[in-house]
Amino acid sequence: MDIKLLIADDEDVIRNGISKYVKLHTDRFNKILLAENGQETIEQILKYRPDIVLLDVQMPVKTGLEVMKEMKLAGLSPITIILSGYDEFKYAQQALRLGAKDYVLKPVRSSDILKMLTEYADELSYPLKNMEDEKDTGLNPVVSQAKEYINENYYNNLTLQQVADKVSISAGYLSTLFNQELKCGFVDYLNEVRVNHACMYLRQNYFKTYEIAYKIGFNDEKYFSKVFKKIKGISPSEYKKGLYVD
């Protein structure tokens, strides 16, 4: 699959540095586009329709968040990773609400950026739903649709009612289907999806635990740690130290 990447950052060193590093270390991207301000970013997105956008939150002319709003209005939804030197949750909140998949704080190693980009490239080339086809064989189609929606939106404040509305059945019936076919409740399944994504961030070891909790949909770090320990048997801090067995 041909994958187009857009790197948008007003700092030449960062923009060109990431581009050169990616080109040197992978051939996953058949086209790498560059933009140095928000307006140029929008023009590149509309013209080339990139699959993945690495987007600086603070740029001249238009901010990264303004770019995301315009993408949404245009009906475009590339995988978007927000890159920012501003350690403030208000940016993360707005970016995630607008559909950002990740929020990375500067400074960050080019190798870490590359790892993240290739993981998302893998998702585009080999969608999660294809990897789960075998496990989903025999499942009620409604349950499969619900699982797919949860896997794509786990970081939002999802409720059983929202997912039920999405698959056009009642919340009560969806709850029954989850218990019958997945042998767990809706919240249990949602928490398991969130914790599995948390494990990826913990292994990368460049986010604080409270940042990870927020990124995967928890509003309370203590509750996240409690849920994580219930599912994995150890705390997030122990997992981060490598005290786990995959």
Side-chain angles (χ1 to χ4, degrees), residues 179 183-193 227 230-231:
N179 281 289
K183 309 304 178 187
C184 68
F186 165 78
V187 172
D188 293 329
Y189 180 77
L190 174 60
N191 283 341
E192 186 172 345
V193 171
V227 170
K230 179 182 177 182
I231 292 174

Side-chain angles (χ1 to χ4, degrees), residues 78-110:
I79 290 175
T80 304
I81 303 164
I82 288 289
L83 186 62
S84 174
Y86 295 82
D87 190 2
E88 298 180 21
F89 263 143
K90 65 179 181 180
Y91 290 118
Q93 281 181 315
Q94 293 176 60
L96 291 171
R97 285 172 185 161
L98 289 168
K101 289 285 190 179
D102 254 307
Y103 185 88
V104 182
L105 296 176
K106 299 176 184 177
V108 59
R109 295 187 295 269
S110 293

Side-chain angles (χ1 to χ4, degrees), residues 146 149-150 157-167 169-179 185-187 190:
Y149 184 72
I150 292 168
N157 186 26
L158 283 185
T159 66
L160 176 63
Q161 186 63 59
Q162 286 174 328
V163 179
D165 289 343
K166 193 69 180 178
V167 297
I169 63 173
S170 71
Y173 184 40
L174 181 60
S175 179
T176 299
L177 287 176
F178 262 72
N179 281 289
F186 165 78
V187 172
L190 174 60

